[in-house]
Amino acid sequence: MRKLLVLALVLCLVVALVAGCSSQKKQEGQPNQQQEQQGGQQEQQVAYKDGTYYAEEKEFSEQGWKGLVTVIVKDGKITKVFYDEINKEGKLKSFDPEYGPKMKEKSGTTPLEAYAKLEQSLIDKQKAEAVDVVSGATHTSEAFKALAAEALKGTPVEAKGGLKDGIYKAAEANFDDHGWKAMAAIIVKDGKIQSAFFDEISKEDGHYKSVDQEYAKNMEAKSGQTPAKAVEALTKSLIEKQDAAQVDTVAGATGTSTKFKNLMTEALSLAK
């Protein structure tokens, strides 16, 4: 009987020792897991130096386009991103009224839609490599990620003549009562406005006002002016004056002139 009692006590001690060691191992393992989690969070939180970062692809692609990206950092975080592609003739892809519909038919998206998603993804993720690939624009997505990473590895752009080199954009927040929404872009090189782009997009089907023949015909009959001619004159004035406030209002296109000047002023404010 005494032997059985002793054996039972020994077994209890063994069980207690095993349980104690197991508990100690778990407690020791917890700090390591917490450290790993904290380390992962630190890797995700990337702090950048405040400023404007810009990069452009060195060569045009086989299709004749090359990417341009501007990334603006404030308080250590990416707050604004502007991306587009330009061809040898100086046209921006998102402002090309013919390219968008063709791309939409083939892939289900347009440059304007794809760029907006990529820009917002970079702001959300704060890391170029973490940007989500846009369906129907895989090549564009990869090009964007590579160029944004290149820009952020560089140093902030210094202003020349009051402006920082880069591409900057602005757009109306809502469609107007007639179903149009204006958008604008400028490219600054060597501290000066090198080129400017403006158009209005239809809420109904996404076509651009600059190629709306019916609209142009009606506008010309009433005012002697067309959207395309008005924008051409406004753009020329902006590049000559280098100041949106000084742009000459086009007779017969007061509404277009006002939208143009307002959006160009907004875009230029980002370049300062």
Side-chain angles (χ1 to χ4, degrees):
M1 184 72 179
R2 292 177 64 185
K3 290 182 178 180
L4 289 173
L5 182 61
V6 171
L7 181 60
L9 288 171
V10 171
L11 288 172
C12 288
L13 287 171
V14 171
V15 170
L17 287 171
V18 171
C21 290
S22 177
S23 177
Q24 184 177 4
K25 286 182 180 179
K26 287 182 179 179
Q27 291 176 355
E28 289 175 352
Q30 286 176 354
N32 291 333
Q33 291 175 358
Q34 291 175 354
Q35 289 174 1
E36 289 177 1
Q37 291 175 354
Q38 291 174 355
Q41 291 175 353
Q42 289 176 355
E43 288 179 0
Q44 292 177 358
Q45 296 173 353
V46 181
Y48 301 101
K49 182 178 179 181
D50 284 9
T52 298
Y53 297 79
Y54 175 70
E56 65 177 71
E57 292 179 318
K58 294 178 176 60
E59 303 291 340
F60 290 95
S61 67
E62 293 180 0
Q63 291 74 32
W65 300 94
K66 71 174 180 178
L68 316 170
V69 68
T70 295
V71 181
I72 298 177
V73 175
K74 185 177 181 180
D75 297 329
K77 292 188 176 182
I78 297 169
T79 57
K80 293 185 183 297
V81 183
F82 305 108
Y83 178 79
D84 218 306
E85 295 173 75
I86 194 168
N87 65 12
K88 295 178 181 179
E89 286 72 41
K91 294 182 180 179
L92 280 186
K93 187 179 283 188
S94 68
F95 284 79
D96 188 326
E98 296 179 358
Y99 194 99
K102 291 179 181 178
M103 181 176 175
K104 184 81 171 181
E105 186 178 348
K106 290 182 179 180
S107 64
T109 190
T110 67
L112 195 64
E113 293 168 346
Y115 298 163
K117 290 179 181 178
L118 291 167
E119 292 162 354
Q120 188 58 50
S121 184
L122 180 54
I123 292 172
D124 293 341
K125 300 296 180 64
Q126 294 290 305
K127 293 174 69 176
E129 57 268 30
V131 168
D132 298 317
V133 173
V134 175
S135 178
T138 303
H139 177 75
T140 297
S141 300
E142 296 302 333
F144 171 86
K145 293 167 70 172
L147 199 59
E150 180 184 334
L152 289 166
K153 287 178 182 177
T155 55
V157 177
E158 294 184 6
K160 298 177 183 177
L163 297 176
K164 299 173 183 177
D165 287 4
I167 180 169
Y168 303 90
K169 296 183 178 182
E172 291 180 317
N174 302 301
F175 290 92
D176 63 21
D177 294 339
H178 303 289
W180 296 100
K181 182 165 68 175
M183 57 185 188
I186 58 168
I187 295 177
V188 177
K189 286 289 182 69
D190 298 324
K192 292 185 177 182
I193 303 170
Q194 182 189 64
S195 52
F197 309 86
F198 178 89
D199 214 322
E200 295 182 62
I201 190 168
S202 169
K203 182 179 182 180
E204 183 179 352
D205 59 8
H207 77 272
Y208 290 4
K209 184 181 281 189
S210 61
V211 292
D212 189 321
Q213 295 182 359
E214 184 177 354
Y215 189 99
K217 183 179 179 181
N218 293 334
M219 180 177 175
E220 189 169 29
K222 292 179 179 180
S223 65
Q225 192 61 260
T226 67
K229 290 179 180 178
V231 171
E232 183 180 358
L234 291 165
T235 301
K236 182 179 179 182
S237 181
L238 176 62
I239 294 174
E240 288 177 352
K241 304 290 180 62
Q242 292 290 307
D243 183 353
Q246 299 300 318
V247 168
D248 300 317
T249 297
V250 175
T254 304
T256 299
S257 298
T258 299
K259 289 185 176 185
F260 180 94
K261 294 169 73 171
N262 288 343
L263 290 182
M264 290 303 174
T265 297
E266 183 181 340
L268 282 168
S269 70
L270 300 169
K272 295 180 178 178

